[in-house]
Amino acid sequence: MSEAYTSDEFWQGVRKPVESASTLPRDAYTSPGFFELEQTMVFDRGWVAVACADELSQDGSVLVRSVGSRSVLVTRNSEAEVRVFLNACRHRGTELLDADAAGLSVIRCPYHRWGYNLDGRLVATPRFTDVAVEGFDPSDYPLKSLRAEVFAGIVFACLDPTTAPIAEYYGDLGDRLAGYGLNGWKTRQTATFDIAANWKLLSENFQEYYHLTWVHPELAKVSRVKDHYRYQGPGMYCGQTTTPVSGDDRDDWLAMPAAAGLSASDAHSGRFLALFPNVMLSVLPNHAFVIQLEPLGPGRTRERCTWLLPPDSTDVTEETFAVTQDFWVDVNNEDIDICERSQRGIHNGGFTEGRYSVRFEEPLHRFANMLADQFQCRQRIPAGDQDGDASRYGDGRLPV
Ligand code: FES
Ligand SMILES: [Fe+2]
């Protein structure tokens, strides 16, 4: 059955132009076979977010995360370079850590105490060579490392050596976000949610503001539907922007000071970007809200949420920050509720496939085609908005 998910027939509805396309079929959200193949075709090949860079600011922090079906360790070496390793000992394969750790200089295997430094080098093998072991050289047994990069304040890892470098993978997004300097932003708060919905429902929901008025009545007061427009260049992401970022009688998003040195456009906009496959990134002038999606099963996803503040906002009081945090928690809970409800309807209600609103849901079509490309082994980075698209997808005016 799994071979069917790589066939042209399975993806034919998604491949049509958005006006005539179908949404992802039911199996994409419910089938264990689809989920398993997705882990291989998407998460074992793409750039997968595993942490926020600032989570590694303490010396010796080692985070246990996953890339697809693999458990990985995320850390910085003595040169402060980010390193990501498979979480398996080179002696007889034991899982090294089962929870985040801090203050480590050596990662010790619990089984026979082999030890690895934070560059992955094998530095301890107690009593292993009491009797000579032929041809054994510790330098031949470092931890297996993955490609790792910091991009937009987030640590990404990639298992596949043939995948494009991250700067190419995300296309022009690095330039679009450069003015914020996100790599230097600081973690203010984190939260984790386990959700009874497929990871793609959460990402798709994030990519459209069609639901804004009905699912988020309070958010819609700050972030008006009419102020949204598409924000997509060439690259593996889907995006929208709100300008101005706060447009009515609530100013929840503006309680904290803005980052220094922003352009006029950045200072007045909210960027909402779904980085393929597993990041939902909201960047506002004074904070960023990062959600990393960790798929746990066809109908289960873990969200790791991080609020980042610009480096000169560390003295923002708890009270002031709470306005922004509480606002996001409420919005996110509304999104989680509706996505769990979608999951139940797709699973139990006999849904097969639907249609897209061309005006509001084009990013979902772009996302579905990125997914199709991965399943069908097409290494293609989607193009960006075309001149003339504004009349179809919104025409927010950037301030001068
Ligand atoms: S399996 Fe790790 S030291 Fe033996
Ligand atoms: Fe929403």
Side-chain angles (χ1 to χ4, degrees), residues 7 16 64 74 95 102 110 203 206 217 245 262 283 285 292 305 338 391:
S7 69
K16 291 177 183 169
V64 182
V74 186
E95 178 184 85
S203 184
F206 177 81
V245 67
L262 296 183
V283 185
Q292 300 167 59
C305 302
I338 202 70
S391 61

Side-chain angles (χ1 to χ4, degrees), residues 306-320:
T306 310
W307 284 264
L308 298 174
L309 301 192
D312 47 7
S313 295
T314 44
D315 57 354
V316 164
T317 64
E318 269 311 293
E319 205 179 3
T320 305

Side-chain angles (χ1 to χ4, degrees), residues 36 61-62 67 105 171 180 260 352 373:
E36 201 176 309
S61 291
V62 183
V67 174
S105 55
Y180 294 97
T352 49
D373 286 346

Side-chain angles (χ1 to χ4, degrees), residues 30-80:
T30 59
S31 154
F34 186 96
F35 181 84
E36 201 176 309
L37 195 59
E38 185 177 70
Q39 294 281 294
T40 308
M41 304 302 275
V42 177
F43 286 84
D44 288 355
R45 302 168 79 202
W47 283 98
V48 176
V50 289
C52 282
D54 184 57
E55 289 181 81
L56 298 170
S57 57
Q58 304 293 324
D59 280 351
S61 291
V62 183
L63 308 178
V64 182
R65 295 290 182 268
S66 54
V67 174
S69 55
R70 318 294 177 92
S71 175
V72 299
L73 303 177
V74 186
T75 189
R76 286 187 191 271
N77 65 13
S78 55
E79 272 77 55

